[in-house]
Amino acid sequence: MTTQHWEIATDAAEVHALLCASDQHQGRRFGSPVPARNPATTESRVRAGVVHLLRADDRAAAMFTLTWHPAFEPPTGVFPEAHTPAYLSRLAVHPSLGNSLAGPQCLRRAVSIARESGADALRAEANPDLESTVDVMVLLGFTRCGPIFGGEGSPRRTYLQHPLS
């Protein structure tokens, strides 16, 4: 039986390896570009205590970052009004767990923590080519905001918001 628990990540190298492995897996799976990840950004987010890590049998299984400021530049007016939004980024699941519930577990945990912390909305930027990820987000209460942005040489992006109030 697998034992799982949540923790605030403390090992930036472990987090970065999980993030890159997940990105590469998703890129192969959906034929989409793999983002270039900066280890220094991972290090700063781990140091800030905003990376939530799901361990399964003592290995890094999945993760997400939850902050009060966006890690992305949302287009003006794309999100509905919110007074205290939180921001979800860097959702990653270990490739060996591709068909598990680790991704939805991350999303549910992020919603719960954001709500408990006083956020009235949880916002995210996602690659629309990762259809199953976006579909799960919508199933769990996120709403797509605006059109798909990018393309023609720039990464395609969609924006989602989960109302929490």
Side-chain angles (χ1 to χ4, degrees):
M1 176 182 275
T2 302
T3 59
Q4 293 183 342
H5 69 274
W6 285 98
E7 63 187 56
I8 299 299
T10 57
D11 184 340
E14 177 184 49
V15 166
H16 199 73
L18 172 60
L19 181 62
C20 291
S22 178
D23 285 347
Q24 290 168 3
H25 174 73
Q26 295 289 13
R28 283 190 304 272
R29 183 174 174 210
F30 291 100
S32 63
V34 175
R37 300 292 189 170
N38 184 342
T41 302
T42 303
E43 174 69 36
S44 74
R45 291 187 180 148
V46 167
R47 251 192 338 271
V50 296
V51 179
H52 300 261
L53 183 67
L54 176 64
R55 285 207 182 275
D57 293 333
D58 294 325
R59 71 176 185 159
M63 60 164 271
F64 64 90
T65 299
L66 189 65
T67 60
W68 292 103
H69 302 286
F72 51 88
E73 188 69 40
T76 303
V78 72
F79 288 116
E81 186 175 334
H83 296 287
T84 315
Y87 294 88
L88 170 69
S89 62
R90 293 181 156 216
L91 175 65
V93 175
H94 193 277
S96 68
L97 301 173
N99 292 327
S100 75
L101 294 176
Q105 282 178 274
C106 285
L107 293 168
R108 289 184 56 156
R109 178 117 177 136
V111 166
S112 177
I113 292 170
R115 184 178 282 128
E116 290 169 8
S117 299
D120 62 349
L122 180 58
R123 295 175 171 173
E125 175 188 71
N127 178 345
D129 298 327
L130 306 182
E131 296 167 358
S132 60
T133 300
V134 175
D135 289 347
V136 168
M137 291 178 79
V138 170
L139 284 171
L140 293 176
F142 285 81
T143 303
R144 296 173 204 238
C145 301
I148 293 174
F149 294 86
E152 303 277 331
S154 66
R156 289 169 28 95
R157 294 288 174 243
T158 190
Y159 297 89
L160 301 108
Q161 178 168 294
H162 189 304
L164 302 176
S165 51

